[in-house]
Amino acid sequence: MTTLNPLIESKVDVLIIGAGPAGLMCANALASAGVDVRIIDKRAVGVAAGQADGIQPRTIEVLQSYGLAEPLIRIGAHFPRASFWNPGPDGGIVRTQRTPSIFSPTARYPYLITRHQGGIESLFHGSMEAKGLHVQRSTIPTAIQLSQVESELRDPKANPVKVTLKRLDLEEDDIEVVHAKFVLGADGAHSWVRNVLGIKLEGDNTDSIWGVLDVYPETDFPDSRNWTFIHSHNGTLMNIPREGDMMRYYIQLSEDPDFVDPTTRRVNKARANPDRLMETAAKIFQPYSLKMLGEPEWWTIYIIGQRVAQKFSIEDRIFIAGDACHTHSPKAGQGMNASMNDSHNLAWKLAHVLRGWADMSLLKTYESERLKFARDLIDFDRKWSKLFTGKPRTEANEDGISHEEFVGAFQTFSGFSSGVGVRYEASAIVAKQHQACAAKLVVGERMIPHVFVQAADIRAVNIHDAMPSDARFKVLVFVGNVADKAALARVRALAEELDAPKSFVHRYGQGDYHRVFDILCICAGSKDEVDFIDVPQMLRPHWSKWVMLRFLGELGLISLLIARVLLDDTDMHAREGGGGFAAYGIDAKAGAIVVVRPDGYVGMVAPYDRLEDISTYFGGFMVEKSG
């Protein structure tokens, strides 16, 4: 018999509903930032196989910023090459072209990685458990109520969201009322949070029906370990390499009416089975052979739905992320990537507001940035799905999709699909007025990776690895050759101005600016001329900051403390490094200041003599506190 105990109540800063990739990304980021966070999920156990599996280059970069990419890179399947097959003259398929799988020249990882969703989620579980955070499973929300008192909604210290939870694994004391400051609904495409709040989805289903199989195949197909696109007279298929010797096949089923209920036009999964899917795939692969060894690891069929939520937040107190706010075709490998990057965008903003560092208005940028991205994603997915699903052009079908058209779109869309080309528009946290002083670092896009060398030991380091996701703004100060007296004088003057009480560093540094801002200095000088102690103390690490040491130690990045001063030069063997100022479009004599947001996106660039503009930038959303 269920016992309703009204005394079981609790408070939390952030309650996350749903422990898929979006929820776990947010929970891990908030836990890393020291936020009181709780995450629940209705499932008794996590995903064991199948589901989403493709990790794009930008998402690998994001995972690396949390110290989580190494096991994925080691275990997952990599595919740097794509291949394209079309109908041949004898009725089978022939290879038309091979290309790189990624056409984004600044991608640090120029390939995709596949790993089943449970394997991706395990990366977060291990990181969270080290911080004392665990997913509370077999738990569902049954009611959610948001206060209508304006003063509570605007007070970041208030707990205006009341969520009633039910434990499915208990018979007594199974009801709890949680009072949260913020709630994130990351509970999937059929989101309870979205539905109960009345947030509508815009869009519809297509007529395109697909099957998915994760199998160990026996095949003589030569491009099975490439990202392969096959257009044939027997249908369309996408071949995805998976970890080990596993393969994933996306198989077009639209031509087989037996998979569709003729009345409802919905997928009839009862009529499908793995053998039938493999039979369809084998026809598409002809003249090559294809057989399934043993039983499939996972399989499903689906109809493509392309929808986006009308809004991503309610009163900047309840948010939705991931599949809860956008659904689309899985064939461009966007679902899990878009979901995790939603949460990556939101987490640091919540942390800053909860710490009292930023105004509540900062949270509005989550919806403005990610809703536009989601709409762009749906637009991209419609174009890509139409090209992928369409019949190939042949002599008998001159109106079909040509190989040149398909590959051209594949290359054109690469910047967006890889995540590398995502750009946020001008806003309170994206200020573009001084773009010219760092012409190739596009404000609103992610910081471009580049290899520099540490001034202290000439060890090569990618600048991404010097900027972990620790909820701090990175202030990158690009200076000239400090071995030159005139250049050094300019740098010293800049350091004095940065350290002045009215500087943004102190105005918004919350009494200890190292907690808010991480300053890195990048010098244009030679390794044979520059010592890192030449750089003024303001632009070098403060070795006594034990809080920084502890955080970096948790990420395994203590050695990077000496990377606060970098040189735009090669390592001792001239294998890596050099050319950074040119790659970023920064004049080595003039220098520049680059403000990188905690999520790795360039928020602003400015010349030395416009520090007041940087102060204005931070004044637009941060809370001033001298110290």
Side-chain angles (χ1 to χ4, degrees):
M1 180 177 179
T2 300
T3 301
L4 301 180
N5 187 345
L7 297 179
I8 301 179
E9 298 195 33
S10 62
K11 288 186 176 182
V12 71
D13 286 347
V14 181
L15 174 65
I16 299 174
I17 300 171
L24 291 170
M25 170 67 83
C26 193
N28 181 67
L30 291 174
S32 297
V35 171
D36 180 20
V37 58
R38 186 171 169 187
I39 181 168
I40 66 168
D41 195 273
K42 66 181 179 181
R43 297 170 297 180
V45 296
V47 173
Q51 305 294 335
D53 67 348
I55 303 297
Q56 296 281 357
R58 173 55 189 159
T59 308
I60 305 172
E61 293 176 358
V62 171
L63 291 171
Q64 174 65 10
S65 75
Y66 289 100
L68 301 177
E70 188 278 329
L72 172 66
I73 293 171
R74 175 168 42 85
I75 298 172
H78 299 204
F79 41 105
R81 186 170 68 176
S83 69
F84 302 86
W85 293 68
N86 287 285
D90 299 325
I93 56 172
V94 295
R95 184 170 56 224
T96 311
Q97 190 176 359
R98 283 171 168 167
T99 73
S101 62
I102 299 297
F103 285 87
S104 301
T106 67
R108 180 179 181 183
Y109 306 97
Y111 48 81
L112 288 86
I113 298 179
T114 50
R115 177 92 167 110
H116 71 84
Q117 182 173 317
I120 303 299
E121 293 177 0
S122 69
L123 301 174
F124 295 109
H125 288 303
S127 178
M128 288 162 48
E129 288 168 4
K131 303 173 181 68
L133 179 62
H134 303 267
V135 176
Q136 181 179 321
R137 296 199 172 276
S138 300
T139 303
I140 61 171
T142 60
I144 188 168
Q145 182 179 344
L146 179 63
S147 172
Q148 299 302 305
V149 179
E150 188 69 18
S151 60
E152 290 185 9
L153 293 175
R154 302 281 74 84
D155 181 3
K157 296 180 180 179
N159 292 64
V161 192
K162 184 171 74 172
V163 183
T164 304
L165 303 180
K166 178 178 175 59
R167 291 285 298 269
L168 303 177
D169 56 346
L170 298 178
E171 294 184 358
E172 296 183 349
D173 298 335
D174 60 339
I175 303 296
E176 178 185 1
V177 176
V178 178
H179 300 272
K181 293 176 181 174
F182 301 97
V183 170
L184 173 63
D187 49 343
H190 302 288
S191 170
W192 177 90
V193 175
R194 185 192 68 232
N195 290 330
V196 78
L197 294 175
I199 300 175
K200 302 297 184 183
L201 289 173
E202 298 174 338
D204 50 31
N205 286 338
T206 70
D207 293 329
S208 183
I209 300 169
W210 291 76
V212 190
L213 271 173
D214 288 348
V215 299
Y216 290 95
E218 181 180 304
T219 181
D220 58 356
F221 182 63
D223 281 345
S224 61
R225 298 308 294 179
N226 292 267
W227 187 11
T228 303
F229 302 88
I230 302 175
H231 284 94
S232 80
H233 293 303
N234 294 311
T236 303
L237 182 146
M238 184 165 68
N239 174 104
I240 299 288
R242 285 286 302 274
E243 59 268 32
D245 294 322
M246 192 189 304
M247 296 297 305
R248 170 168 287 192
Y249 301 124
Y250 286 95
I251 308 157
Q252 185 180 23
L253 304 176
S254 301
E255 298 302 312
D256 192 336
D258 199 31
F259 290 117
V260 184
D261 187 305
T263 303
T264 65
R265 301 302 302 165
R266 293 180 180 274
V267 169
N268 188 345
K269 192 172 182 180
R271 297 184 181 181
N273 60 63
D275 290 331
R276 291 197 63 185
L277 297 184
M278 281 298 290
E279 180 182 341
T280 303
K283 291 179 181 178
I284 295 173
F285 269 102
Q286 291 176 355
Y288 299 97
S289 64
L290 176 68
K291 296 180 181 179
M292 178 170 56
L293 299 176
E295 296 297 317
E297 288 288 308
W298 181 80
W299 71 279
T300 190
I301 62 173
Y302 67 92
I303 189 167
I304 295 176
Q306 295 161 326
R307 296 184 176 89
V308 61
Q310 293 175 330
K311 59 175 67 176
F312 285 12
S313 71
I314 302 292
E315 297 288 350
D316 297 320
R317 287 290 186 170
I318 306 173
F319 303 88
I320 55 175
D323 288 353
C325 46
H326 42 72
T327 61
H328 39 83
S329 161
K331 289 186 295 300
Q334 293 301 298
M336 182 161 52
N337 296 273
S339 296
M340 289 191 284
N341 281 288
D342 284 346
S343 297
H344 180 58
N345 180 284
L346 176 63
W348 72 268
K349 298 171 183 178
L350 286 171
H352 275 240
V353 169
L354 286 164
R355 288 172 174 173
W357 296 354
D359 187 79
M360 284 281 292
S361 63
L362 174 63
L363 298 175
K364 295 186 181 300
T365 64
Y366 168 65
E367 180 174 283
S368 64
E369 291 185 337
R370 297 308 292 178
L371 179 54
K372 181 185 184 302
F373 165 81
R375 288 172 174 162
D376 291 344
L377 172 59
I378 297 304
D379 183 55
F380 152 75
D381 190 58
R382 288 194 178 108
K383 295 174 182 176
W384 179 246
S385 294
K386 183 177 180 181
L387 287 170
F388 193 76
T389 304
K391 290 182 177 297
R393 181 177 298 177
T394 62
E395 291 183 1
N397 181 31
E398 295 183 355
D399 294 329
I401 305 298
S402 71
H403 168 71
E404 292 75 16
E405 183 180 6
F406 185 79
V407 174
F410 178 76
Q411 296 178 4
T412 300
F413 291 151
S414 182
F416 184 86
S417 62
S418 67
V420 169
V422 171
R423 180 183 303 177
Y424 297 134
E425 298 303 319
S427 69
I429 55 175
V430 176
K432 302 187 177 185
Q433 68 265 39
H434 297 301
Q435 177 66 80
C437 70
K440 297 180 183 179
L441 277 180
V442 179
V443 176
E445 293 188 6
R446 106 304 188 200
M447 180 67 187
I448 296 174
H450 193 85
V451 175
F452 296 87
V453 294
Q454 298 174 164
D457 60 5
I458 314 304
R459 177 182 172 187
V461 59
N462 194 297
I463 199 166
H464 275 200
D465 292 334
M467 302 189 302
S469 287
D470 56 8
R472 293 186 295 169
F473 280 88
K474 309 302 184 292
V475 181
L476 312 183
V477 183
F478 287 82
V479 303
N481 181 4
V482 293
D484 176 80
K485 290 183 179 180
L488 181 59
R490 289 189 69 226
V491 173
R492 285 174 173 168
L494 174 64
E496 289 179 7
E497 194 172 355
L498 275 173
D499 203 21
K502 293 185 178 180
S503 165
F504 71 90
V505 168
H506 292 293
R507 288 179 63 187
Y508 304 105
Q510 307 303 313
D512 181 2
Y513 70 83
H514 302 95
R515 298 170 61 209
V516 184
F517 302 107
D518 186 15
I519 299 176
L520 293 83
C521 182
I522 301 94
C523 303
S526 162
K527 58 181 173 287
D528 297 323
E529 298 179 298
V530 176
D531 291 315
F532 81 95
I533 59 174
D534 295 339
V535 174
Q537 182 68 49
M538 181 67 188
L539 305 181
R540 286 192 274 126
H542 290 241
W543 302 94
S544 62
K545 296 301 173 182
W546 67 272
V547 173
M548 186 193 305
L549 283 166
R550 183 178 65 181
F551 177 82
L552 293 176
E554 290 174 356
L555 291 184
L557 296 172
I558 284 180
S559 63
L560 292 179
L561 278 172
I562 56 175
R564 302 304 98 175
V565 178
L566 303 177
L567 295 179
D568 188 19
D569 198 358
T570 62
D571 65 13
M572 294 304 296
H573 302 283
R575 294 174 179 172
E576 296 182 279
F581 277 72
Y584 293 159
I586 297 174
D587 183 275
K589 292 183 178 180
I593 299 173
V594 178
V595 176
V596 181
R597 303 176 350 179
D599 59 357
Y601 284 77
V602 179
M604 182 180 187
V605 297
Y608 289 177
D609 59 357
R610 298 311 296 263
L611 286 185
E612 69 273 15
D613 290 345
I614 301 179
S615 290
T616 300
Y617 168 79
F618 284 111
F621 59 92
M622 295 196 76
V623 176
E624 184 170 351
K625 183 178 179 180
S626 60

